[in-house]
Amino acid sequence: QDLDEVVKVKDAVLSCAAAEDKDGWQYLFQVKNAMLRSRLALRCLDKWPLEACLEILSYGISDLVITSELKASLQSRKKELQVYQKILNVQNESLWNNWQDLKKACTDDPQTVMNIILKAKDYELCEEWVQLYPVPREDLINLHREHLIYLLEVGDMEKALQLLQRIEDPGICLAISEQSLDQRPNLAASHFLADYLTAHFYANLTTARRNEIQALYMGSKVLLTLPELSRGNYFHLSSRPLLMVEQLLMNMKVDWVAVAVQTLHQLLAEQEIGFSVEDIDNLLSKYAEKALHFPFALKEKRSGDYVVRLFYPNCYGKSLLLRTTISASPRDRSLQQNLFPQEFVPPEKPPPKQQWIPDDTETICMVCKTERFTMFNRRHHCRRCGRLVCSSCSTKKMAVEACRENLSRVCDQCYSYYNRD
């Protein structure tokens, strides 16, 4: 009994010493009474340095004799201090000397603390912090939206889904998903958001919004049918698939249109998203009609004069031909000389296919400077210089280094350069 009294007195003295100043934490480990030690730790944490606090809390949590309620309190404080530790580690400038200063700033100036965490793009840490210091709903939505977009941009769809599942408020989930979609992220992210909104919030969406999301989903599918290097040119139309098809028609990508239309027909089965299969057919009919009534010219170059053959396609699949010879005046010859330089020098080596002039960059033949590319007057790439030329200016073939064909189609200027004799 006397020994117990001595232990109690000793614990009391050590407790007073521990609570005295910032170095008093060292005496706490000598206190025998586990309950007293844990309560004293919770009461005096604000006086001690961070590392010491974390060590003491871990020591207290490991005690088997303390109550579950006291252990929960110790775990809660440890989690709080670990958040402060992470924030102190991400700050570029030492704004706070210790965790006590940081804790005060979290109450007095929470926006500064939040901005520092967001600047470091440590969104998970920011989530932990807002659990300790609740922020207005709008700020919380902005935080989760930035976090979601970041995860989608780096392609971590699994963590993006986990983030949405952690958010308890469905209204916030809906808001950040729609806002993220409105920012038009990359193709994979758009698919993810469209799928998520359709699967979890279909009943909460307006008809216009449903159509928009579904159109974006379909537009993304159409975009995937295009050659990978050309998708960037049409990405801005991913939420308007019908307009994308029209743009492809205007750019005379007939083969691409065929695949795109087939994809849309499959996706539109039993769905209504603001346009139908009939709308697609009407668009195709409109451009088919334009093609049937579009006159185009093939020019035969001759010395002094040139012949123009005008073709007028009709609905019977035949063409009406008007042929006329136009004499070139001195002014025309001078102009022609400017358009056709006397000496064209091809590049030293044939450019690889990926370095050819892209189809979308030129609308007029780069040799004659007069022939306009149309659905009937198609572009051709010279295998020797990589330029876009019309059929009239690429009538010759010759052997070209690195080309698989024995004889490759080349522009007349390249052919003339290498066949002067």
Side-chain angles (χ1 to χ4, degrees), residues 184-187 190 215-216 218-257 260 358-361 379:
R184 293 293 180 264
N186 59 48
L187 188 59
S190 297
L216 176 61
M218 291 188 179
S220 300
K221 291 289 189 182
V222 171
L223 201 61
L224 287 172
T225 68
L226 306 183
E228 187 173 356
L229 295 177
S230 300
R231 291 172 191 169
N233 298 331
Y234 300 93
F235 178 74
H236 64 289
L237 300 173
S238 55
S239 62
R240 305 176 68 185
L242 199 60
L243 186 58
M244 190 189 304
V245 171
E246 183 169 7
Q247 188 68 53
L248 291 171
L249 285 168
M250 293 173 67
N251 291 339
M252 292 170 287
K253 304 297 184 183
V254 181
D255 294 340
W256 300 1
V257 170
D359 287 351
D360 297 338
T361 60
R379 298 167 170 82

Side-chain angles (χ1 to χ4, degrees), residues 27-44:
Y27 299 104
L28 198 65
F29 293 101
Q30 303 174 43
V31 175
K32 298 295 183 182
N33 188 315
M35 295 289 290
L36 175 62
R37 185 171 57 243
S38 295
R39 290 195 182 98
L40 187 62
L42 291 172
R43 187 178 303 171
C44 300

Side-chain angles (χ1 to χ4, degrees), residues 296-300 307-311 321-324 392:
F296 62 97
L298 294 177
K299 184 174 66 178
E300 297 176 353
V307 176
V308 174
R309 294 180 295 162
L310 290 179
F311 288 83
L321 170 63
L322 296 179
R323 181 184 178 99
T324 181
S392 298

